[in-house]
Each structure stands twice: as structure tokens, then as C-alpha cells.
Amino acid sequence: MITLQCQLELSKTDKEMLLTLMRKFSSCMRYAYNRLLEGKARKDLKKELQKIFNINSRYCDDTIMKAQSVIN
């Protein structure tokens, strides 16, 4: 196995888009964590997250999974 270490060079607009996506993901995970503690169903939560944070279903699934792993 070979491991490479590198540094990304992003344009200013790409960097802003990436930071916005990271911010949304973090907020979405925090929201999912709190709703899971309240006992909300995963299926309902996924639809709610997509509407609130305007991110795709894959990201919503990942945030719910990460929030659930923190709870467990």
C-alpha cells in the first residue's frame, strides 16, 4: 500500500463552495443528532434534512449515520 500526502489548490470560488458544504454538513449532523435523541424516525428525518439544508440524500444519510454512531 502506498500513501500519498498532498495539498489541494483551490480557486477562491471553489474554496468558498467547499467551506459552505462543510458548514452545511456539520449543521445537518448536529440537527440530526438532536432529532434522533428526541426519537424521530430515520426516514422522516432524511426528508426533513433535505428540505432544511438543501443537500442531496447521500449527504443526509451520512449525517444521520454519523449522528447515530455518536449516540451509540
Side-chain angles (χ1 to χ4, degrees):
M1 177 185 258
I2 297 174
T3 302
L4 298 175
Q5 184 176 359
C6 59
Q7 185 174 6
L8 290 176
E9 292 183 17
L10 301 171
S11 68
K12 189 173 184 174
T13 56
D14 288 341
K15 185 176 179 180
E16 287 300 317
M17 287 173 52
L18 180 61
L19 288 173
T20 301
L21 182 59
M22 290 169 58
R23 215 173 287 120
K24 280 184 179 183
F25 187 88
S26 179
S27 296
C28 188
M29 191 175 94
R30 196 169 44 249
Y31 186 88
Y33 174 82
N34 288 326
R35 297 302 82 78
L36 288 171
L37 286 178
E38 292 173 358
K40 195 152 211 170
R42 182 183 180 106
K43 186 177 180 180
D44 298 332
L45 182 58
K46 182 179 173 181
K47 290 178 184 177
E48 187 177 337
L49 292 174
Q50 285 180 313
K51 288 179 184 177
I52 294 172
F53 294 98
N54 195 26
I55 56 178
N56 66 28
S57 65
R58 172 63 190 240
Y59 286 135
C60 290
D61 279 336
D62 290 345
T63 59
I64 294 169
M65 183 184 66
K66 285 186 92 173
Q68 187 65 54
S69 69
V70 170
I71 292 171
N72 292 339

